[in-house]
Amino acid sequence: MSTGLLFRIGDFPVYTFGAFLAVAYLLGAFLFWRSGRREGFSPDDLFDLLFVSSFSALAGGRILFLAFA
């Protein structure tokens, strides 16, 4: 039975699924930033929107998990 452990940094384990999620988030953030720059938005506004939407998604997902679990 495999645990999906990719590697360890000291006592901190890095799992394959978490690594893929981190790469997907960073790639999505880069593509969002690049397309926003092409449309003429300022980088500060794009960063603020990315931060607020990510925080809202994490908080909302946690609240829904607690409400229905």
Side-chain angles (χ1 to χ4, degrees):
M1 184 165 128
S2 176
T3 61
L5 182 67
L6 194 57
F7 58 88
R8 287 185 177 274
I9 300 175
D11 289 337
F12 183 73
V14 177
Y15 294 98
T16 307
F17 186 68
F20 278 118
L21 283 178
V23 169
Y25 178 79
L26 291 174
L27 180 64
F30 173 72
L31 292 175
F32 172 75
W33 172 80
R34 190 175 69 174
S35 66
R37 291 279 295 163
R38 286 182 182 164
E39 294 292 324
F41 293 101
S42 73
D44 292 335
D45 291 341
L46 292 171
F47 178 74
D48 290 344
L49 182 61
L50 182 67
F51 178 75
V52 169
S53 62
S54 297
F55 180 76
S56 299
L58 288 172
R62 184 66 179 165
I63 289 170
L64 286 174
F65 175 76
L66 292 174
F68 292 110

